[in-house]
Amino acid sequence: MKFHIQTWGCQMNDHDGEKLSGLLSAEGFEAVDSAEEAELVLLNTCSIREKAVHKVYSELGRLREEKQRRPLMVGVTGCLAQQEQAALFKRAPHIDFVLGTMALKQLPRLVAEAQAGKARVMDAGEYPDNHLFPPSVTRRRDTAKALVTITEGCNHACTYCIVPTTRGAERHRPYGDVLAEVRGLVERGYREVELLGQNVNSYAGGCTFADLLERVSEVEGLEWIRFTTSHPMNFTKDLARVLVANPKVAPFLHLPLQSGSDRVLKRMLREYTVAEYLERLGYLGEGRSRMALSTDFIVGFPGETDEDFDATMRVLDEVAFDGSFSFIYSPRPGTPSLRLKDDLPMAVKSARLTRLQQRQSELTRASNERFLGREIPVRIETHGPNEQGWWLARSGEWKTIHLAAGPGRELPFGELVRARVTLASPHFLGAELV
């Protein structure tokens, strides 16, 4: 049986897609590149924002028409599956099975039941060992960086966030399991890993997250370690010290702020003030100047005033984030923020988002311009140049690099090379091979 997996969302979803692909491949199924070639299409979904949900239902509509033309099995997994569960069958009756985020290893059973003719197969249960997925089963995509889950779920209770519903409470992999997986990845040729979790720096799998970074960095042959995502309340001085001092930890930190207004942060139940967020950034000391910092912003949260948004803009300028991910507030089912009055016109929300993103673009360009003329190590992320003749690479600071290597030159995929930065834009750095 040929299968195709479509994935939306974060790195955790990407890695779930690799796990699901491995489970099907172990059953003798064959992965194909498109839904049109497949006999089984699995939609690996995200539900953190309404837009992501709309994309899933749009694809389900297309697959309904496809299913009328030929035999086709359709399954839904991921956060939307965990959130909606049986309600998915009511909105899209042509779905054959629904698989929750905490039941990934049940996929072969659900497929077998659907193949046997059972209708509306579903498992959205919580399995206590679901976070202990065997790495040997994972079917990894052809990428220069390997994803490694260290913790799943979140114990925070942000009023806008559906993650505690879709991913559950925190579960932590023992550090020995994490180290064994990283060693195996290095043996397979990977030189960079990204440690994943809804809140990685709350890690408690037998050591602290700072300790885990130190232990992973001792794996011989590993060059860079990244991690995402961090909660400011769990960002410690020890973690800052490792981030600054350990040369294998990439000089990049994503630390979501969400709002520059204490009043809005309180309504979000983020558990910190702006001053406390800035205090944690201060833990980085002089090392802050040597790394890139990105964040998240939610614009137009219920009750956000002009003064609240202006406070966000002031923090944006004060910190001068190298990059940010910003979105208009998206109400999610079952979250406490639904009880808050949300009467801000969409036109105002959109105008605020545009203003923030325009200013961020200026800050990102300024950040990128600081690289002009510098020689930096970058990792090759493609097997060949694109149509414009650039090789795509990535710096330790998570800067996208368009690298000129010269005609006929082959570069080593997944390896570090030296590059001299010659161009800076808000979106990428241009560089030439040294």
Side-chain angles (χ1 to χ4, degrees):
M1 195 175 196
K2 297 179 179 179
F3 72 92
H4 177 69
I5 299 177
Q6 298 184 38
T7 296
W8 293 265
C10 63
Q11 293 97 322
M12 186 73 81
N13 276 28
D14 286 339
H15 194 32
D16 282 350
E18 294 180 324
K19 296 174 182 178
L20 294 165
S21 182
L23 287 167
L24 292 173
S25 297
E27 296 293 316
F29 290 23
E30 176 188 353
V32 293
D33 294 330
S34 69
E36 288 71 26
E37 303 171 73
E39 299 158 279
L40 164 62
V41 174
L42 189 58
L43 303 186
N44 183 24
T45 64
C46 174
S47 65
I48 198 166
R49 281 179 290 277
E50 191 173 20
K51 186 176 181 180
V53 173
H54 288 165
K55 289 180 179 179
V56 174
Y57 280 116
S58 176
E59 180 62 10
L60 281 171
R62 192 192 69 79
L63 290 173
R64 181 184 63 245
E65 297 177 0
E66 183 81 7
K67 201 168 182 178
Q68 291 170 351
R69 293 192 293 268
R70 65 182 180 89
L72 178 65
M73 185 180 297
V74 176
V76 179
T77 188
C79 292
L80 183 62
Q82 189 69 39
Q83 173 191 312
E84 296 294 326
Q85 300 188 18
L88 278 167
F89 294 120
K90 295 180 180 179
R91 185 160 176 178
H94 58 289
I95 295 173
D96 293 285
F97 64 88
V98 171
L99 177 68
T101 58
M102 293 174 267
L104 290 190
K105 286 184 279 189
Q106 307 305 311
L107 176 62
R109 175 176 61 81
L110 267 63
V111 172
E113 290 179 5
Q115 284 179 310
K118 185 176 179 180
R120 300 190 171 191
V121 179
M122 185 179 75
D123 192 337
E126 298 185 19
Y127 291 81
D129 64 344
N130 76 294
H131 61 296
L132 304 177
F133 193 90
S136 60
V137 175
T138 302
R139 183 177 179 269
R140 295 188 177 274
R141 296 172 299 137
D142 187 19
T143 56
K145 174 186 67 179
L147 304 175
V148 177
T149 300
I150 66 166
T151 180
E152 291 210 29
C154 184
N155 288 347
H156 292 281
C158 303
T159 57
Y160 57 83
C161 187
I162 200 164
V163 165
T165 298
T166 59
R167 291 285 180 172
E170 289 180 2
R171 291 92 66 203
H172 308 273
R173 288 180 67 193
Y175 72 83
D177 288 0
V178 175
L179 292 175
E181 181 172 1
V182 173
R183 292 190 191 101
L185 291 167
V186 171
E187 290 173 1
R188 292 175 55 182
Y190 289 97
R191 296 293 175 262
E192 179 177 339
V193 298
E194 183 167 6
L195 307 181
L196 300 181
Q198 275 72 40
N199 181 15
V200 289
N201 49 358
S202 68
Y203 177 76
C207 64
T208 67
F209 183 53
D211 290 336
L212 180 68
L213 287 175
E214 296 279 35
R215 296 181 190 206
V216 171
S217 73
E218 294 171 359
V219 175
E220 188 174 351
L222 187 65
E223 295 169 340
W224 280 346
I225 307 165
R226 301 187 187 276
F227 57 89
T228 191
T229 290
S230 297
H231 193 292
M233 289 304 294
N234 301 105
F235 189 76
T236 64
K237 291 180 180 179
D238 282 345
L239 177 54
R241 175 188 55 77
V242 174
L243 183 56
V244 169
N246 192 312
K248 286 192 177 182
V249 180
F252 173 79
L253 173 64
H254 182 72
L255 194 64
L257 172 60
Q258 305 302 1
S259 174
S261 162
D262 286 343
R263 195 179 71 87
V264 173
L265 289 174
K266 186 175 182 179
R267 289 164 71 87
M268 290 178 169
L269 204 59
R270 287 293 286 173
E271 305 175 67
Y272 55 83
T273 63
V274 171
E276 288 169 335
Y277 179 92
L278 297 177
E279 178 186 9
R280 283 158 175 76
L281 288 185
Y283 296 165
L284 297 170
E286 294 181 357
R288 165 70 179 93
S289 63
R290 300 192 298 274
M291 67 178 59
L293 178 68
S294 72
T295 195
D296 293 340
F297 289 110
I298 295 174
V299 173
F301 190 75
E304 181 188 71
T305 64
D306 288 340
E307 291 75 17
D308 292 325
F309 179 70
D310 287 343
T312 294
M313 294 298 294
R314 287 195 297 272
V315 176
L316 176 65
D317 277 331
E318 179 180 353
V319 178
F321 292 99
D322 299 88
S324 67
F325 300 89
S326 51
F327 308 91
I328 291 174
Y329 165 71
S330 182
R332 308 311 305 129
T335 56
S337 62
L338 290 179
R339 298 193 295 267
L340 302 175
K341 189 176 182 180
D342 182 17
D343 57 359
L344 195 65
M346 182 55 68
V348 174
K349 296 179 182 181
S350 297
R352 288 178 183 174
L353 182 67
T354 297
R355 180 181 162 196
L356 187 151
Q357 291 181 339
Q358 287 176 344
R359 180 56 182 146
Q360 181 61 72
S361 181
E362 296 169 357
L363 292 170
T364 302
R365 179 186 288 275
S367 168
N368 287 348
E369 286 175 349
R370 290 195 288 271
F371 284 81
L372 285 171
R374 287 174 52 187
E375 290 187 12
I376 58 174
V378 301
R379 190 173 308 284
I380 305 301
E381 294 197 337
T382 53
H383 289 282
N386 60 17
E387 294 179 356
Q388 289 74 38
W390 299 97
W391 291 74
L392 297 182
R394 192 82 62 172
S395 74
E397 298 83 3
W398 200 238
K399 301 288 186 181
T400 299
I401 310 295
H402 290 186
L403 182 61
R409 181 73 179 270
E410 291 296 319
L411 299 182
F413 174 75
E415 300 296 329
L416 289 176
V417 299
R418 299 289 298 180
R420 181 181 296 107
V421 179
T422 58
L423 180 149
S425 83
H427 308 294
F428 65 89
L429 297 174
E432 57 187 19
L433 196 65
V434 175

